[in-house]
């Protein structure tokens, strides 16, 4: 008997929670209304405090070829719409890309239907937004959600957003999926796919693999699967042609669902949560490999004729799922599970409409086990990281002791300048070693967070936000000192633009996004233990260069912007000092800042 690791299977219970809510039914009602009333556009309705924005599934794909073309998100001059996703280009094997036709559909709606203006009006009347769509409308809804999340990216507060699609095709490549993961946006998407719907699979199948006699299917790529023409086109196919189409799509789904077995890797990649529904219930998965496998396995249990016509039956599924989620499922004595976890797997297979004892069930079971392992490790990883965090405390403490000794030293250089000067002492070497050990730990935290190996709310948990912020304030001045001590700025450029580690930028974002409670008088009575701007010394190093350039520059026209930059930094530094937001090493008698301020005053007097 397998050891009990969980009392239920999360993919089945999460589907039950969503299926029993009114979100799916209300979203589908809006989708059906949009399909009938606003072809090639969208409609909006506010229900209570929730705004529903539904994109019509009646769209025309602007292409003439027989295949899907992937283009980067900046194609057509729309780079600013999805700018956060383009930031990860250097970290991924290829840039984030989306289907050309679907991207053009969204850009057309955005530019010709005043999407920004209408969304602004909707947000004024609501507290949260659900963006939805059926078929190609679902693909447009997905891009609209990515645009809104990008639009809200730099804002401290905004409306909660959820995207629900029905029978939508996959829209982009694996790099797009990973970029969305790194932005922590996967939880914003729920893609509803019925077990028999061939269309989400068809639009990922190369048309070159179809027989010439099925050339009529090419028209599917130009006409919406929700339009009246779809029914006419489907009626023109013979049973043999439907069977051939079904077998081709099924075979392609099989090859891309096994990337580890020497098969062709899918050009299109899933992201977010996939809500697979059948006549018997529903399951929810968020692991990309498991999603690809279930797209194949659930289609495998379908019939050719049913799989083509099922694309329009999501209204029936939504109603059935709500009823099925409330019913109690049972087992026969022949397949009675040995544990609660096995029972959870059996319930999930029943909800997916896959018989528990056939070959497809064994493959589906393996897929669900994989999804479960990935789904349950984040909390365990977080707990283990908490233990690791306590183990690195001595390294941090040694650096704190070093700072205290530098600040109290007779030379009155301060923390930053003590570490910056050439020092072959054992104490300096230990501090430098501890700096690298802490960097290794926090880089590992960032990697785990970006790969979805930690809980979704990890970056807003006070324990980790405060720990990462304290680390940044304590250690980044040492990184800056090491950068300028080795004269890297002469080769690479100044630290802020060319030398700053990405972990510090991420920690800045975590700190800005933290929950801030209302406090009374926060005026400091003494200097802070750590300078509250971890990049203060990097800004000072740039100001020192500006001061030297003034001494050498004879052109008065070039001096004006330099003086302006110097005075801006001087005001900024003076403000930090007056608010006592700097450590006392900044105002030490022989610190770099004190000497720079004295030199600046002398230069002003001479000029």
């Amino acid at each position: 008997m397998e050891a009990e690791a969980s009392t239920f299977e999360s993919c089945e219970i999460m589907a039950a929670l969503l299926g029993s809510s009114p979100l799916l039914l209300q979203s589908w009602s809006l989708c059906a209304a949009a399909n009938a009333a606003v072809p090639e556009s969208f409609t909006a309705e506010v229900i209570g405090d929730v705004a529903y924005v539904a994109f019509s599934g009646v769209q025309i794909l602007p292409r003439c070829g027989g295949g899907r073309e992937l283009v980067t998100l900046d194609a057509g001059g729309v780079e600013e719409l999805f700018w956060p996703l383009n930031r990860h280009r250097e970290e991924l094997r290829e840039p984030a890309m989306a289907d050309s036709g679907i991207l053009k559909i969204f850009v057309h709606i955005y530019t010709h239907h005043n999407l920004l203006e209408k969304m602004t009006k909707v947000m004024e009347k609501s507290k949260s937004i659900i963006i939805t769509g059926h078929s190609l409308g679902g693909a447009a809804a997905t891009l609209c959600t990515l645009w809104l999340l990008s639009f809200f990216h730099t804002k401290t507060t905004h409306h909660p957003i959820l995207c629900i699609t029905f029978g939508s095709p996959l829209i982009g490549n694996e790099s797009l999926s990973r970029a969305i993961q790194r932005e922590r946006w996967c939880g914003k998407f729920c893609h509803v796919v019925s077990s028999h719907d061939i269309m989400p699979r068809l639009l990922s199948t190369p048309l070159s693999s179809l027989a010439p006699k099925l050339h009529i299917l090419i028209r599917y790529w130009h006409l919406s699967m929700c339009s009246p023409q779809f029914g006419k086109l489907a009626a023109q196919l013979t049973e043999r042609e439907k069977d051939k189409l079904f077998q081709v799509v099924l075979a392609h789904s099989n090859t891309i669902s096994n990337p580890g077995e020497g098969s062709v890797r899918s050009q299109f990649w899933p992201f977010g949560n996939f809500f697979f529904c059948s006549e018997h219930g529903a399951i929810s998965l968020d692991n990309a490999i498991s999603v690809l496998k279930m797209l194949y396995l659930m289609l495998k249990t379908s019939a050719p004729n049913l799989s083509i016509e099922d694309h329009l039956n999501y209204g029936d599924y939504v109603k059935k799922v709500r009823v099925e989620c409330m019913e109690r499922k049972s087992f026969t004595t022949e397949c009675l599970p040995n544990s609660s976890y096995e029972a959870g797997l059996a319930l999930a297979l029943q909800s997916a409409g896959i018989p528990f004892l056939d070959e497809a069930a064994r493959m589906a079971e393996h897929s669900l086990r994989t999804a479960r392992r990935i789904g349950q490790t984040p909390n365990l990883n977080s707990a283990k990281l908490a233990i690791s965090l306590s183990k690195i405390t001595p390294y941090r403490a040694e650096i704190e002791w070093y700072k205290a000794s530098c600040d109290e030293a007779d030379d009155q250089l301060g923390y930053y300048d003590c570490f910056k000067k050439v020092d072959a002492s054992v104490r300096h070497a230990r501090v430098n070693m501890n700096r690298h050990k802490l960097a290794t730990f926090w880089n590992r935290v960032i990697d785990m967070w970006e790969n979805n190996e930690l809980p979704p709310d990890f970056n807003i948990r006070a324990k980790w936000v405060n720990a990462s912020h304290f680390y940044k304030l304590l250690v980044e001045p040492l990184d800056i000192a090491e950068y300028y001590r080795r004269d890297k700025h002469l080769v690479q450029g100044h630290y802020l633009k060319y030398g700053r580690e990405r972990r510090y930028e991420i920690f800045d974002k975590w700190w800005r996004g933290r929950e801030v409670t209302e406090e009374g008088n926060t005026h400091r009575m003494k200097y802070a233990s750590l300078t509250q701007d971890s990049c203060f010394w990097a800004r000072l190093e740039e100001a020192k260069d500006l001061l030297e350039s003034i001494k050498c520059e004879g052109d008065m026209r070039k001096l004006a912007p330099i003086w302006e930059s110097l005075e801006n930094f001087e005001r900024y530094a003076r403000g930090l000092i007056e608010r006592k937001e700097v450590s006392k090493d900044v105002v030490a008698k022989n610190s770099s800042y004190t000497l720079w301020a004295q030199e600046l005053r002398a230069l002003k007097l001479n000029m």
Side-chain angles (χ1 to χ4, degrees):
M1 180 182 296
E2 183 182 58
E4 295 277 343
S6 174
T7 57
F8 57 84
E9 172 56 38
S10 60
C11 70
E12 202 270 341
I13 205 72
M14 287 300 295
L17 291 173
L18 180 60
S20 59
S21 75
L23 294 179
L24 293 183
L25 191 58
Q26 290 177 349
S27 297
W28 174 253
S29 298
L30 266 292
C31 286
N35 290 346
V38 285
E40 301 183 55
S41 186
F42 65 94
T43 184
E45 181 177 338
V46 178
I47 303 176
D49 293 332
V50 181
Y52 288 82
V53 179
F55 285 81
S56 173
V58 182
Q59 304 285 344
I60 298 179
L61 282 171
R63 60 162 63 84
C64 298
R68 299 183 70 186
E69 178 188 2
L70 284 172
V71 296
T72 57
L73 295 176
D74 55 3
V78 294
E79 181 177 8
E80 71 281 359
L81 297 183
F82 310 103
W83 65 269
L85 300 176
N86 291 319
R87 298 184 305 163
H88 306 285
R89 181 173 299 190
E90 295 180 358
E91 308 159 21
L92 303 171
R93 289 182 297 181
E94 59 181 359
M97 305 175 77
D99 177 78
S100 171
I102 292 174
L103 187 60
K104 288 178 181 177
I105 286 175
F106 172 73
V107 172
H108 175 79
I109 294 174
Y110 179 84
T111 55
H112 293 84
H113 294 276
N114 300 321
L115 182 60
L116 178 58
E117 178 183 346
K118 293 179 180 178
M119 289 296 297
T120 302
K121 292 180 179 179
V122 166
M123 288 185 286
E124 292 174 353
K125 303 176 183 178
S126 63
K127 295 182 179 179
S128 57
I129 304 173
I130 292 181
I131 302 173
T132 186
H134 176 216
S135 193
L136 294 178
T142 300
L143 287 176
C144 178
T145 304
L146 293 175
W147 161 67
L148 266 185
L149 291 169
S150 301
F151 180 76
F152 287 133
H153 193 272
T154 57
K155 295 179 170 40
T156 55
T157 60
H158 59 80
H159 288 54
I161 303 171
L162 177 63
C163 177
I164 300 176
T165 70
F166 298 88
S168 172
L170 305 180
I171 69 164
N173 63 350
E174 184 177 359
S175 291
L176 175 63
S177 175
R178 293 192 176 277
I180 293 170
Q181 281 184 346
R182 295 193 175 188
E183 292 298 328
R184 313 300 288 181
W185 291 348
C186 286
K188 305 289 186 181
F189 296 89
C190 175
H191 306 290
V192 183
V193 179
S194 74
S195 57
H196 307 306
D197 186 3
I198 197 175
M199 294 308 165
R201 291 90 165 178
L202 172 64
L203 292 184
S204 299
T205 304
L207 288 182
S208 58
S209 60
L210 300 177
K213 67 175 66 176
L214 296 176
H215 60 86
I216 190 174
L217 293 173
I218 296 178
R219 295 171 66 187
Y220 283 146
W221 299 76
H222 309 286
L223 294 172
S224 163
M225 271 51 85
C226 301
S227 65
Q229 289 90 337
F230 169 75
K232 297 178 182 178
L233 288 169
Q236 295 176 22
L237 295 177
T238 65
E239 293 300 322
R240 184 176 179 183
E241 288 171 334
K242 291 179 180 178
D243 183 69
K244 177 61 177 177
L245 168 63
F246 177 80
Q247 295 302 329
V248 169
V249 174
L250 184 64
H252 181 71
S253 298
N254 184 25
T255 59
I256 66 174
S257 67
N258 297 287
E261 300 175 14
S263 302
V264 178
R265 196 171 183 84
S266 175
Q267 186 182 17
F268 293 86
W269 205 251
F271 60 85
N273 298 283
F274 276 73
F275 186 90
F276 291 100
C277 55
S278 71
E279 297 87 349
H280 307 284
I283 60 173
S284 178
L285 296 173
D286 61 1
N287 175 251
I289 299 298
S290 298
V291 167
L292 290 174
K293 287 182 180 294
M294 293 305 294
L295 282 171
Y296 161 67
L297 293 170
M298 295 185 76
L299 185 64
K300 188 178 180 181
T301 63
S302 306
N305 189 63
L306 178 62
S307 65
I308 294 176
E309 298 171 355
D310 206 47
H311 188 64
L312 305 178
N313 293 334
Y314 280 94
D316 295 336
Y317 279 115
V318 169
K319 295 175 183 177
K320 288 180 182 178
V321 164
R322 194 165 189 183
V323 174
E324 290 291 338
C325 287
M326 302 299 181
E327 291 185 352
R328 185 190 299 264
K329 297 181 176 68
S330 59
F331 307 101
T332 63
T333 55
E334 290 80 6
C335 60
L336 191 64
N338 294 325
S339 67
S340 61
Y341 173 60
E342 297 296 336
L345 283 176
L347 289 174
L349 292 175
Q350 282 190 36
S351 298
I354 300 176
F356 190 60
L357 296 177
D358 68 2
E359 178 185 358
R362 288 192 293 273
M363 298 174 66
E365 180 184 351
H366 174 73
S367 179
L368 294 177
R369 287 182 187 276
T370 302
R372 170 185 173 273
R373 285 197 299 270
I374 293 177
Q376 288 192 342
T377 53
N379 286 328
L380 295 177
N381 287 338
S382 180
K384 291 178 180 179
L385 276 181
I387 297 173
S388 299
L389 180 64
S390 64
K391 291 181 178 179
I392 65 169
T393 299
Y395 307 143
R396 191 185 68 186
E398 278 197 55
I399 296 179
E400 291 182 75
W401 295 334
Y402 173 79
K403 180 182 186 305
S405 64
C406 291
D407 291 345
E408 299 298 331
D410 294 335
D411 57 14
Q412 299 187 47
L413 283 173
Y415 177 51
Y416 173 78
D417 290 289
C418 278
F419 191 79
K420 184 182 176 183
K421 71 179 182 179
V422 178
D423 191 343
S425 66
V426 174
R427 185 181 68 160
H428 184 280
R430 284 189 62 84
V431 169
N432 196 42
M433 178 182 66
N434 291 341
R435 179 175 69 92
H436 287 293
K437 288 181 178 179
L438 290 173
T440 300
F441 170 79
W442 286 107
N443 282 338
R444 182 161 66 93
V445 171
I446 292 296
D447 288 341
M448 294 176 68
W449 180 71
E450 290 185 332
N451 290 324
N452 278 355
E453 296 175 17
L454 295 171
D457 63 341
F458 182 86
N459 61 313
I460 59 174
R461 293 183 178 181
K463 174 187 180 70
W464 291 101
V465 172
N466 293 332
S468 61
H469 185 64
F470 184 84
Y471 158 74
K472 180 186 68 173
L473 298 183
L474 177 67
V475 177
E476 189 168 15
L478 301 184
D479 289 1
I480 298 170
E482 182 73 5
Y483 189 84
Y484 285 95
R485 184 174 72 84
R486 294 181 177 275
D487 292 329
K488 289 185 178 180
H489 64 294
L490 300 178
V491 179
Q492 298 175 206
H494 279 292
Y495 175 86
L496 279 175
K497 188 173 182 179
Y498 299 104
R500 197 180 191 210
E501 293 288 346
R502 194 167 63 89
R503 62 177 175 274
Y504 295 128
E505 297 174 358
I506 292 173
F507 295 157
D508 282 343
K509 187 188 299 184
W510 289 9
W511 183 250
R512 290 194 300 267
R514 75 193 188 284
E515 183 177 350
V516 180
T517 57
E518 292 292 334
E519 297 180 358
N521 183 16
T522 57
H523 181 71
R524 295 178 184 271
M525 302 304 295
K526 60 181 182 179
Y527 288 117
S529 59
L530 295 169
T531 301
Q532 297 304 291
D533 179 4
S534 63
C535 293
F536 174 83
W537 296 105
R539 304 186 203 281
L540 174 65
E541 294 290 351
E542 293 187 19
K544 289 167 63 177
D545 264 12
L546 292 175
L547 194 59
E548 290 300 319
S549 64
I550 282 181
K551 298 176 182 178
C552 305
E553 183 59 60
D555 189 340
M556 296 300 297
R557 291 173 299 178
K558 295 181 180 180
L559 283 175
I562 299 176
W563 270 114
E564 183 180 2
S565 297
L566 275 175
E567 290 174 348
N568 287 339
F569 174 74
E570 184 185 25
R571 283 193 297 271
Y572 172 73
R574 192 185 306 122
L576 288 177
I577 294 172
E578 289 174 355
R579 295 189 300 272
K580 291 185 167 50
E581 293 179 358
V582 299
S583 173
K584 63 181 181 180
D585 67 317
V586 172
V587 294
K589 182 179 179 180
N590 296 318
S591 74
S592 293
Y593 172 75
T594 301
L595 298 179
W596 174 86
Q598 292 172 354
E599 189 175 356
L600 179 63
R601 284 195 296 270
L603 183 62
K604 286 182 177 181
L605 289 174
N606 291 336
M607 295 185 67

